[in-house]
PDB file of all heavy atoms in Angstrom:
ATOM      1  N   SER A   1       0.862  -1.182   0.000  1.00 90.00           N
ATOM      2  CA  SER A   1       0.000   0.000   0.000  1.00 90.00           C
ATOM      3  C   SER A   1       0.894   1.225   0.000  1.00 90.00           C
ATOM      4  O   SER A   1       1.608   1.490   0.975  1.00 90.00           O
ATOM      5  CB  SER A   1      -0.909   0.012   1.233  1.00 90.00           C
ATOM      6  OG  SER A   1      -1.568   1.251   1.336  1.00 90.00           O
ATOM      7  N   GLN A   2       0.875   1.980  -1.110  1.00 84.00           N
ATOM      8  CA  GLN A   2       1.765   3.127  -1.217  1.00 84.00           C
ATOM      9  C   GLN A   2       1.379   4.231  -0.227  1.00 84.00           C
ATOM     10  O   GLN A   2       2.234   4.895   0.350  1.00 84.00           O
ATOM     11  CB  GLN A   2       1.755   3.647  -2.651  1.00 84.00           C
ATOM     12  CG  GLN A   2       2.315   2.625  -3.638  1.00 84.00           C
ATOM     13  CD  GLN A   2       2.296   3.091  -5.072  1.00 84.00           C
ATOM     14  OE1 GLN A   2       3.174   3.824  -5.496  1.00 84.00           O
ATOM     15  NE2 GLN A   2       1.287   2.673  -5.818  1.00 84.00           N
ATOM     16  N   GLY A   3       0.068   4.437  -0.013  1.00 84.00           N
ATOM     17  CA  GLY A   3      -0.378   5.457   0.924  1.00 84.00           C
ATOM     18  C   GLY A   3      -0.006   5.137   2.359  1.00 84.00           C
ATOM     19  O   GLY A   3       0.434   6.005   3.124  1.00 84.00           O
ATOM     20  N   HIS A   4      -0.171   3.876   2.759  1.00 92.00           N
ATOM     21  CA  HIS A   4       0.177   3.477   4.120  1.00 92.00           C
ATOM     22  C   HIS A   4       1.689   3.488   4.328  1.00 92.00           C
ATOM     23  O   HIS A   4       2.174   3.834   5.405  1.00 92.00           O
ATOM     24  CB  HIS A   4      -0.395   2.087   4.422  1.00 92.00           C
ATOM     25  CG  HIS A   4      -1.871   2.091   4.666  1.00 92.00           C
ATOM     26  ND1 HIS A   4      -2.780   2.343   3.674  1.00 92.00           N
ATOM     27  CD2 HIS A   4      -2.590   1.884   5.802  1.00 92.00           C
ATOM     28  CE1 HIS A   4      -4.004   2.284   4.184  1.00 92.00           C
ATOM     29  NE2 HIS A   4      -3.906   2.017   5.465  1.00 92.00           N
ATOM     30  N   SER A   5       2.435   3.111   3.285  1.00 93.00           N
ATOM     31  CA  SER A   5       3.901   3.172   3.389  1.00 93.00           C
ATOM     32  C   SER A   5       4.349   4.613   3.613  1.00 93.00           C
ATOM     33  O   SER A   5       5.247   4.889   4.425  1.00 93.00           O
ATOM     34  CB  SER A   5       4.540   2.616   2.112  1.00 93.00           C
ATOM     35  OG  SER A   5       4.206   1.252   1.916  1.00 93.00           O
ATOM     36  N   ASP A   6       3.721   5.535   2.899  1.00 88.00           N
ATOM     37  CA  ASP A   6       4.066   6.939   3.050  1.00 88.00           C
ATOM     38  C   ASP A   6       3.738   7.444   4.452  1.00 88.00           C
ATOM     39  O   ASP A   6       4.481   8.241   5.038  1.00 88.00           O
ATOM     40  CB  ASP A   6       3.335   7.769   1.997  1.00 88.00           C
ATOM     41  CG  ASP A   6       3.715   9.242   2.051  1.00 88.00           C
ATOM     42  OD1 ASP A   6       4.895   9.550   1.804  1.00 88.00           O
ATOM     43  OD2 ASP A   6       2.840  10.073   2.332  1.00 88.00           O
ATOM     44  N   ALA A   7       2.617   6.955   5.002  1.00 92.00           N
ATOM     45  CA  ALA A   7       2.236   7.373   6.355  1.00 92.00           C
ATOM     46  C   ALA A   7       3.282   6.940   7.375  1.00 92.00           C
ATOM     47  O   ALA A   7       3.601   7.685   8.315  1.00 92.00           O
ATOM     48  CB  ALA A   7       0.873   6.785   6.715  1.00 92.00           C
ATOM     49  N   VAL A   8       3.843   5.758   7.201  1.00 96.00           N
ATOM     50  CA  VAL A   8       4.894   5.291   8.111  1.00 96.00           C
ATOM     51  C   VAL A   8       6.154   6.131   7.935  1.00 96.00           C
ATOM     52  O   VAL A   8       6.819   6.506   8.914  1.00 96.00           O
ATOM     53  CB  VAL A   8       5.200   3.798   7.866  1.00 96.00           C
ATOM     54  CG1 VAL A   8       6.375   3.349   8.736  1.00 96.00           C
ATOM     55  CG2 VAL A   8       3.979   2.938   8.162  1.00 96.00           C
ATOM     56  N   ARG A   9       6.499   6.463   6.697  1.00 95.00           N
ATOM     57  CA  ARG A   9       7.710   7.244   6.443  1.00 95.00           C
ATOM     58  C   ARG A   9       7.647   8.638   7.063  1.00 95.00           C
ATOM     59  O   ARG A   9       8.681   9.271   7.281  1.00 95.00           O
ATOM     60  CB  ARG A   9       7.954   7.351   4.930  1.00 95.00           C
ATOM     61  CG  ARG A   9       8.482   6.063   4.313  1.00 95.00           C
ATOM     62  CD  ARG A   9       8.999   6.294   2.911  1.00 95.00           C
ATOM     63  NE  ARG A   9       7.924   6.546   1.965  1.00 95.00           N
ATOM     64  CZ  ARG A   9       7.324   5.594   1.240  1.00 95.00           C
ATOM     65  NH1 ARG A   9       7.679   4.326   1.374  1.00 95.00           N
ATOM     66  NH2 ARG A   9       6.370   5.912   0.392  1.00 95.00           N
ATOM     67  N   ARG A  10       6.446   9.126   7.338  1.00 93.00           N
ATOM     68  CA  ARG A  10       6.297  10.461   7.914  1.00 93.00           C
ATOM     69  C   ARG A  10       6.508  10.486   9.436  1.00 93.00           C
ATOM     70  O   ARG A  10       6.527  11.555  10.044  1.00 93.00           O
ATOM     71  CB  ARG A  10       4.916  11.031   7.570  1.00 93.00           C
ATOM     72  CG  ARG A  10       4.758  11.321   6.082  1.00 93.00           C
ATOM     73  CD  ARG A  10       3.338  11.752   5.731  1.00 93.00           C
ATOM     74  NE  ARG A  10       3.189  11.920   4.287  1.00 93.00           N
ATOM     75  CZ  ARG A  10       3.415  13.054   3.636  1.00 93.00           C
ATOM     76  NH1 ARG A  10       3.815  14.121   4.308  1.00 93.00           N
ATOM     77  NH2 ARG A  10       3.260  13.126   2.334  1.00 93.00           N
ATOM     78  N   ILE A  11       6.653   9.324  10.045  1.00 97.00           N
ATOM     79  CA  ILE A  11       6.893   9.262  11.489  1.00 97.00           C
ATOM     80  C   ILE A  11       8.339   9.665  11.777  1.00 97.00           C
ATOM     81  O   ILE A  11       9.270   9.242  11.081  1.00 97.00           O
ATOM     82  CB  ILE A  11       6.619   7.831  12.016  1.00 97.00           C
ATOM     83  CG1 ILE A  11       5.123   7.503  11.878  1.00 97.00           C
ATOM     84  CG2 ILE A  11       7.063   7.693  13.468  1.00 97.00           C
ATOM     85  CD1 ILE A  11       4.785   6.068  12.237  1.00 97.00           C
ATOM     86  N   ALA A  12       8.528  10.485  12.780  1.00 97.00           N
ATOM     87  CA  ALA A  12       9.881  10.934  13.151  1.00 97.00           C
ATOM     88  C   ALA A  12      10.767   9.740  13.460  1.00 97.00           C
ATOM     89  O   ALA A  12      10.382   8.837  14.214  1.00 97.00           O
ATOM     90  CB  ALA A  12       9.798  11.866  14.366  1.00 97.00           C
ATOM     91  N   GLY A  13      11.958   9.743  12.865  1.00 97.00           N
ATOM     92  CA  GLY A  13      12.908   8.660  13.090  1.00 97.00           C
ATOM     93  C   GLY A  13      12.862   7.562  12.048  1.00 97.00           C
ATOM     94  O   GLY A  13      13.714   6.675  12.046  1.00 97.00           O
ATOM     95  N   VAL A  14      11.865   7.610  11.143  1.00 97.00           N
ATOM     96  CA  VAL A  14      11.761   6.599  10.076  1.00 97.00           C
ATOM     97  C   VAL A  14      12.458   7.118   8.829  1.00 97.00           C
ATOM     98  O   VAL A  14      12.156   8.206   8.334  1.00 97.00           O
ATOM     99  CB  VAL A  14      10.285   6.258   9.772  1.00 97.00           C
ATOM    100  CG1 VAL A  14      10.195   5.351   8.549  1.00 97.00           C
ATOM    101  CG2 VAL A  14       9.644   5.590  10.981  1.00 97.00           C
ATOM    102  N   LYS A  15      13.373   6.323   8.318  1.00 97.00           N
ATOM    103  CA  LYS A  15      14.109   6.691   7.115  1.00 97.00           C
ATOM    104  C   LYS A  15      13.410   6.199   5.857  1.00 97.00           C
ATOM    105  O   LYS A  15      13.366   6.891   4.840  1.00 97.00           O
ATOM    106  CB  LYS A  15      15.527   6.116   7.184  1.00 97.00           C
ATOM    107  CG  LYS A  15      16.462   6.576   6.081  1.00 97.00           C
ATOM    108  CD  LYS A  15      17.872   6.058   6.332  1.00 97.00           C
ATOM    109  CE  LYS A  15      18.841   6.564   5.267  1.00 97.00           C
ATOM    110  NZ  LYS A  15      20.220   6.051   5.518  1.00 97.00           N
ATOM    111  N   ASP A  16      12.862   4.992   5.909  1.00 97.00           N
ATOM    112  CA  ASP A  16      12.134   4.431   4.770  1.00 97.00           C
ATOM    113  C   ASP A  16      11.259   3.300   5.287  1.00 97.00           C
ATOM    114  O   ASP A  16      11.499   2.763   6.384  1.00 97.00           O
ATOM    115  CB  ASP A  16      13.102   3.909   3.705  1.00 97.00           C
ATOM    116  CG  ASP A  16      12.467   3.836   2.314  1.00 97.00           C
ATOM    117  OD1 ASP A  16      11.232   4.042   2.216  1.00 97.00           O
ATOM    118  OD2 ASP A  16      13.190   3.569   1.342  1.00 97.00           O
ATOM    119  N   ALA A  17      10.235   2.924   4.498  1.00 97.00           N
ATOM    120  CA  ALA A  17       9.324   1.874   4.955  1.00 97.00           C
ATOM    121  C   ALA A  17       8.480   1.340   3.805  1.00 97.00           C
ATOM    122  O   ALA A  17       8.232   2.056   2.826  1.00 97.00           O
ATOM    123  CB  ALA A  17       8.407   2.405   6.066  1.00 97.00           C
ATOM    124  N   ARG A  18       8.054   0.089   3.951  1.00 96.00           N
ATOM    125  CA  ARG A  18       7.055  -0.510   3.067  1.00 96.00           C
ATOM    126  C   ARG A  18       5.990  -1.160   3.940  1.00 96.00           C
ATOM    127  O   ARG A  18       6.309  -1.791   4.953  1.00 96.00           O
ATOM    128  CB  ARG A  18       7.657  -1.581   2.157  1.00 96.00           C
ATOM    129  CG  ARG A  18       8.729  -1.100   1.224  1.00 96.00           C
ATOM    130  CD  ARG A  18       8.206  -0.208   0.104  1.00 96.00           C
ATOM    131  NE  ARG A  18       9.285   0.088  -0.829  1.00 96.00           N
ATOM    132  CZ  ARG A  18      10.209   1.024  -0.639  1.00 96.00           C
ATOM    133  NH1 ARG A  18      10.164   1.775   0.465  1.00 96.00           N
ATOM    134  NH2 ARG A  18      11.165   1.225  -1.519  1.00 96.00           N
ATOM    135  N   GLN A  19       4.735  -1.005   3.525  1.00 96.00           N
ATOM    136  CA  GLN A  19       3.640  -1.620   4.267  1.00 96.00           C
ATOM    137  C   GLN A  19       2.870  -2.548   3.347  1.00 96.00           C
ATOM    138  O   GLN A  19       2.512  -2.177   2.220  1.00 96.00           O
ATOM    139  CB  GLN A  19       2.711  -0.545   4.833  1.00 96.00           C
ATOM    140  CG  GLN A  19       1.615  -1.092   5.741  1.00 96.00           C
ATOM    141  CD  GLN A  19       0.361  -1.489   4.990  1.00 96.00           C
ATOM    142  OE1 GLN A  19      -0.095  -0.770   4.116  1.00 96.00           O
ATOM    143  NE2 GLN A  19      -0.205  -2.640   5.304  1.00 96.00           N
ATOM    144  N   TYR A  20       2.604  -3.756   3.824  1.00 97.00           N
ATOM    145  CA  TYR A  20       1.857  -4.745   3.058  1.00 97.00           C
ATOM    146  C   TYR A  20       0.481  -4.970   3.686  1.00 97.00           C
ATOM    147  O   TYR A  20       0.350  -5.096   4.910  1.00 97.00           O
ATOM    148  CB  TYR A  20       2.600  -6.085   3.025  1.00 97.00           C
ATOM    149  CG  TYR A  20       3.894  -6.058   2.248  1.00 97.00           C
ATOM    150  CD1 TYR A  20       5.073  -5.638   2.850  1.00 97.00           C
ATOM    151  CD2 TYR A  20       3.937  -6.450   0.915  1.00 97.00           C
ATOM    152  CE1 TYR A  20       6.266  -5.605   2.144  1.00 97.00           C
ATOM    153  CE2 TYR A  20       5.130  -6.425   0.193  1.00 97.00           C
ATOM    154  CZ  TYR A  20       6.284  -5.997   0.818  1.00 97.00           C
ATOM    155  OH  TYR A  20       7.467  -5.972   0.120  1.00 97.00           O
ATOM    156  N   THR A  21      -0.537  -5.013   2.828  1.00 97.00           N
ATOM    157  CA  THR A  21      -1.877  -5.400   3.235  1.00 97.00           C
ATOM    158  C   THR A  21      -2.048  -6.881   2.924  1.00 97.00           C
ATOM    159  O   THR A  21      -1.742  -7.326   1.806  1.00 97.00           O
ATOM    160  CB  THR A  21      -2.932  -4.574   2.482  1.00 97.00           C
ATOM    161  OG1 THR A  21      -2.718  -3.191   2.749  1.00 97.00           O
ATOM    162  CG2 THR A  21      -4.339  -4.964   2.905  1.00 97.00           C
ATOM    163  N   ILE A  22      -2.546  -7.652   3.905  1.00 97.00           N
ATOM    164  CA  ILE A  22      -2.594  -9.111   3.780  1.00 97.00           C
ATOM    165  C   ILE A  22      -3.980  -9.610   4.161  1.00 97.00           C
ATOM    166  O   ILE A  22      -4.456  -9.344   5.275  1.00 97.00           O
ATOM    167  CB  ILE A  22      -1.547  -9.773   4.692  1.00 97.00           C
ATOM    168  CG1 ILE A  22      -0.148  -9.188   4.408  1.00 97.00           C
ATOM    169  CG2 ILE A  22      -1.544 -11.288   4.509  1.00 97.00           C
ATOM    170  CD1 ILE A  22       0.883  -9.539   5.458  1.00 97.00           C
ATOM    171  N   PRO A  23      -4.681 -10.346   3.283  1.00 97.00           N
ATOM    172  CA  PRO A  23      -5.972 -10.926   3.665  1.00 97.00           C
ATOM    173  C   PRO A  23      -5.808 -11.969   4.769  1.00 97.00           C
ATOM    174  O   PRO A  23      -4.799 -12.677   4.824  1.00 97.00           O
ATOM    175  CB  PRO A  23      -6.457 -11.590   2.364  1.00 97.00           C
ATOM    176  CG  PRO A  23      -5.672 -10.954   1.277  1.00 97.00           C
ATOM    177  CD  PRO A  23      -4.348 -10.606   1.876  1.00 97.00           C
ATOM    178  N   VAL A  24      -6.794 -12.068   5.649  1.00 97.00           N
ATOM    179  CA  VAL A  24      -6.799 -13.085   6.698  1.00 97.00           C
ATOM    180  C   VAL A  24      -7.311 -14.388   6.094  1.00 97.00           C
ATOM    181  O   VAL A  24      -8.432 -14.447   5.582  1.00 97.00           O
ATOM    182  CB  VAL A  24      -7.671 -12.641   7.883  1.00 97.00           C
ATOM    183  CG1 VAL A  24      -7.796 -13.760   8.915  1.00 97.00           C
ATOM    184  CG2 VAL A  24      -7.097 -11.378   8.532  1.00 97.00           C
ATOM    185  N   ASP A  25      -6.495 -15.424   6.149  1.00 97.00           N
ATOM    186  CA  ASP A  25      -6.827 -16.692   5.491  1.00 97.00           C
ATOM    187  C   ASP A  25      -8.137 -17.296   5.987  1.00 97.00           C
ATOM    188  O   ASP A  25      -8.927 -17.817   5.202  1.00 97.00           O
ATOM    189  CB  ASP A  25      -5.692 -17.703   5.694  1.00 97.00           C
ATOM    190  CG  ASP A  25      -4.442 -17.363   4.884  1.00 97.00           C
ATOM    191  OD1 ASP A  25      -4.573 -16.615   3.892  1.00 97.00           O
ATOM    192  OD2 ASP A  25      -3.345 -17.831   5.252  1.00 97.00           O
ATOM    193  N   SER A  26      -8.375 -17.214   7.290  1.00 97.00           N
ATOM    194  CA  SER A  26      -9.588 -17.829   7.847  1.00 97.00           C
ATOM    195  C   SER A  26     -10.843 -17.117   7.360  1.00 97.00           C
ATOM    196  O   SER A  26     -11.885 -17.747   7.110  1.00 97.00           O
ATOM    197  CB  SER A  26      -9.541 -17.834   9.375  1.00 97.00           C
ATOM    198  OG  SER A  26      -9.410 -16.511   9.876  1.00 97.00           O
ATOM    199  N   ALA A  27     -10.761 -15.792   7.218  1.00 97.00           N
ATOM    200  CA  ALA A  27     -11.915 -15.041   6.719  1.00 97.00           C
ATOM    201  C   ALA A  27     -12.195 -15.396   5.269  1.00 97.00           C
ATOM    202  O   ALA A  27     -13.350 -15.604   4.873  1.00 97.00           O
ATOM    203  CB  ALA A  27     -11.643 -13.544   6.847  1.00 97.00           C
ATOM    204  N   LEU A  28     -11.138 -15.468   4.456  1.00 97.00           N
ATOM    205  CA  LEU A  28     -11.304 -15.838   3.058  1.00 97.00           C
ATOM    206  C   LEU A  28     -11.858 -17.251   2.928  1.00 97.00           C
ATOM    207  O   LEU A  28     -12.739 -17.504   2.095  1.00 97.00           O
ATOM    208  CB  LEU A  28      -9.955 -15.722   2.339  1.00 97.00           C
ATOM    209  CG  LEU A  28      -9.918 -16.013   0.847  1.00 97.00           C
ATOM    210  CD1 LEU A  28     -10.903 -15.146   0.083  1.00 97.00           C
ATOM    211  CD2 LEU A  28      -8.501 -15.801   0.313  1.00 97.00           C
ATOM    212  N   ALA A  29     -11.392 -18.164   3.764  1.00 97.00           N
ATOM    213  CA  ALA A  29     -11.888 -19.547   3.718  1.00 97.00           C
ATOM    214  C   ALA A  29     -13.372 -19.610   4.064  1.00 97.00           C
ATOM    215  O   ALA A  29     -14.135 -20.375   3.453  1.00 97.00           O
ATOM    216  CB  ALA A  29     -11.079 -20.412   4.677  1.00 97.00           C
ATOM    217  N   ALA A  30     -13.806 -18.790   5.012  1.00 96.00           N
ATOM    218  CA  ALA A  30     -15.221 -18.780   5.403  1.00 96.00           C
ATOM    219  C   ALA A  30     -16.102 -18.271   4.267  1.00 96.00           C
ATOM    220  O   ALA A  30     -17.203 -18.788   4.028  1.00 96.00           O
ATOM    221  CB  ALA A  30     -15.408 -17.924   6.649  1.00 96.00           C
TER     222      ALA A  30
END
């Protein structure tokens, strides 16, 4: 998620970051 990655990078002390969105397997199975 480019927007969420950017939100993390804006935190003081963060040099760079990547954020991944991941489906919950049990929810998908249901």
Side-chain angles (χ1 to χ4, degrees):
S1 170
Q2 296 179 81
H4 285 69
S5 298
D6 183 64
V8 175
R9 285 193 289 268
R10 292 174 185 270
I11 294 174
V14 173
K15 188 174 183 180
D16 203 352
R18 299 290 186 279
Q19 186 272 316
Y20 293 85
T21 301
I22 306 167
V24 174
D25 288 339
S26 59
L28 182 56

